[in-house]
């Protein structure tokens, strides 16, 4: 597993980041209940196997169920070997409104204190906003408070997780944030337009949704009838696999890592097979120029339709 720098932070991270949502709560296609999840003991062993295999970058969040707790237990005594990223609690109330400045400060600090306790550490390497929409990104008090935490050394660098390209651009151009975590994959390539700007500004890019919640794997078949066009499109990637890549997840990961501006690719893991596949994909050999050109030409023609939360709400992912 090779490493890349996280923007201009000076922090070197593994090309694959271990995504911790699946070990913390039911998540993904076909995973509905706690009974479908990996038992805690096995989750801890998977984390340690990842660390011993070359992973050093581990991503979690306050809202990922018991994920932080499991990581805290697993990495007790090995804190200096890992780069920990966690995310703050959401700011909005039940009606979707943002609170006043003082309440925002309290949420940031309380969430951090909870994360430090769960992760059994006294500092966080990368502390992020969980859903940095435009209204949140425009509230100066949030960025100011995160900067104060960085100045105190409680967090080493700060960032924001975004969804829309305009949000990512705001984070990159702001001059405060060190890292942006954004969605990017074979199907939805819209945010590639910001990669050069991020490099210019020294902002690290962590790519998530590289497997599109498992659709770019063996789970991308037998989908709901409303997703028939998506399933048909996924089949087009088979032409790139022939003799070049073992499977679709390998192609998906290698595609994202073919962009030098990308610091790390986040892959959710709850099985040893996923870990092994990630190791095989992150071998320093990525898409050749002609292969990359073909992959870029196969982006989904209507990326706005790739709205997984909406699909889930409609029952199309069950």
């Amino acid at each position: 597993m090779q490493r890349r720098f996280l923007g201009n932070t000076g922090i070197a991270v593994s090309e694959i980041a271990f995504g911790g949502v699946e070990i913390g709560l039911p998540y993904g296609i076909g995973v509905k209940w706690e009974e479908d999840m990996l038992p805690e003991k096995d989750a801890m062993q998977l984390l340690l196997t990842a660390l011993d295999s070359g992973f050093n970058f581990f991503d979690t969040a306050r809202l990922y169920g018991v994920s932080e707790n499991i990581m805290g237990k697993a990495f007790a005594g090995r804190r200096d070997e890992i780069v920990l990223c966690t995310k703050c609690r959401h700011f909005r109330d039940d009606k979707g409104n943002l609170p006043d400045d003082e309440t925002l400060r309290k949420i940031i600090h309380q969430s951090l204190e909870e994360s430090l306790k769960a992760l059994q550490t006294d500092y966080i390497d990368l502390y992020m906003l969980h859903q940095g929409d435009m209204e949140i990104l425009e509230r100066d008090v949030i960025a100011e408070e995160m900067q104060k935490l960085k100045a105190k050394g409680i967090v080493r660098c700060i960032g924001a997780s975004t969804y829309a390209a305009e949000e990512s651009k705001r984070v990159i151009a702001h001059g405060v944030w060190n890292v942006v975590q954004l969605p990017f994959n074979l199907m939805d390539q819209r945010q590639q337009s910001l990669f050069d700007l991020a490099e210019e500004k020294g902002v690290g890019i962590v790519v998530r949704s590289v497997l599109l919640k498992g659709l770019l794997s063996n789970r991308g078949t037998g989908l709901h009838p409303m997703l028939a066009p998506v399933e048909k499109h996924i089949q087009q990637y088979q032409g790139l696999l022939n003799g070049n890549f073992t499977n679709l997840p390998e192609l998906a990961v290698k595609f994202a890592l073919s962009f030098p501006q990308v610091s790390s690719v986040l892959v959710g893991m709850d099985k040893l097979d996923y870990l092994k596949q990630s190791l095989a994909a992150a071998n320093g050999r990525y898409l050749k120029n002609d292969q990359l050109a073909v992959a870029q030409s196969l982006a989904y023609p209507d990326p706005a339709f790739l709205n997984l939360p909406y699909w889930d709400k409609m029952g199309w992912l069950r």
Side-chain angles (χ1 to χ4, degrees):
M1 179 76 71
Q2 298 188 29
R3 296 184 180 182
R4 302 184 183 188
F5 283 108
L6 198 57
N8 285 348
T9 65
I11 300 174
V13 295
S14 49
E15 289 186 322
I16 304 291
F18 186 112
V21 61
E22 284 87 350
I23 64 170
L25 51 78
Y27 182 86
I29 299 173
V31 182
K32 297 181 180 179
W33 315 105
E34 290 186 10
E35 290 76 10
D36 300 323
M37 293 170 55
L38 203 60
E40 181 180 289
K41 181 180 178 182
D42 295 340
M44 290 173 61
Q45 184 56 56
L46 186 63
L47 287 165
L48 291 173
T49 299
L51 178 57
D52 292 336
S53 300
F55 287 76
N56 80 326
F57 194 18
F58 295 85
D59 176 274
T60 184
R62 188 81 288 267
L63 296 180
Y64 285 175
V66 295
S67 178
E68 288 183 328
N69 300 78
I70 292 175
M71 286 192 185
K73 293 177 183 178
F75 296 134
R78 302 188 67 176
R79 177 66 180 91
D80 60 343
E81 299 178 49
I82 63 174
V83 177
L84 271 177
C85 168
T86 194
K87 307 175 199 74
C88 183
R89 287 186 175 277
H90 293 327
F91 297 124
R92 298 186 183 279
D93 60 24
D94 294 339
K95 297 181 180 179
N97 299 317
L98 288 180
D100 59 64
D101 286 0
E102 186 57 33
T103 301
L104 287 171
R105 293 190 184 95
K106 289 180 180 178
I107 292 173
I108 290 171
H109 285 271
Q110 181 179 348
S111 182
L112 178 59
E113 290 173 5
E114 292 170 354
S115 290
L116 291 171
K117 182 177 180 180
L119 289 164
Q120 300 186 32
T121 184
D122 57 2
Y123 71 97
I124 300 296
D125 297 288
L126 172 57
Y127 194 43
M128 305 191 77
L129 306 181
H130 202 142
Q131 291 183 353
D133 62 40
M134 291 302 288
E135 186 179 3
I136 287 173
L137 294 173
E138 290 170 357
R139 286 290 290 271
D140 292 339
V141 65
I142 295 174
E144 291 169 1
E145 211 61 30
M146 297 286 276
Q147 282 182 294
K148 290 177 183 177
L149 294 173
K150 181 180 172 183
K152 292 178 180 178
I154 304 173
V155 303
R156 296 176 68 190
C157 59
I158 56 176
S161 176
T162 59
Y163 285 86
E166 65 170 352
E167 298 163 357
S168 301
K169 185 175 182 179
R170 168 78 180 188
V171 172
I172 293 167
H174 192 274
V176 169
W177 307 103
N178 306 115
V179 179
V180 61
Q181 187 184 109
L182 50 78
F184 178 70
N185 53 66
L186 285 164
M187 298 276 283
D188 185 356
Q189 303 179 27
R190 287 174 290 180
Q191 305 229 21
Q192 185 199 331
S193 62
L194 299 172
F195 286 7
D196 287 341
L197 178 63
E199 183 176 34
E200 177 188 331
K201 298 292 186 179
V203 174
I205 296 174
V206 176
V207 165
R208 72 168 188 281
S209 300
V210 70
L211 300 182
L212 203 60
K213 208 172 183 179
L215 289 179
L216 294 174
S217 71
N218 57 7
R219 297 178 181 177
T221 59
L223 301 179
H224 190 280
M226 290 298 295
L227 302 180
V230 173
E231 184 170 346
K232 183 178 180 180
H233 188 90
I234 291 173
Q235 296 305 312
Q236 296 185 47
Y237 298 117
Q238 294 299 319
L240 269 171
L241 293 182
N242 295 334
N244 299 308
F245 309 99
T246 305
N247 50 45
L248 188 52
E250 180 184 355
L251 170 61
V253 171
K254 284 183 177 292
F255 170 70
L257 286 173
S258 296
F259 296 89
Q261 303 95 328
V262 171
S263 301
S264 188
V265 171
L266 183 62
V267 179
M269 297 185 203
D270 58 359
K271 290 182 173 62
L272 183 60
D273 285 346
Y274 297 164
L275 190 151
K276 290 179 178 178
Q277 288 175 8
S278 296
L279 285 169
N283 60 3
R285 298 189 298 274
Y286 303 122
L287 274 65
K288 299 175 182 177
N289 289 338
D290 59 334
Q291 295 172 328
L292 187 60
V294 172
Q296 289 177 293
S297 73
L298 291 176
Y300 194 68
D302 182 17
F305 179 70
L306 303 174
N307 186 335
L308 272 67
Y310 177 74
W311 295 358
D312 195 28
K313 180 181 178 181
M314 297 300 294
W316 298 348
L317 293 178
R318 297 171 186 170

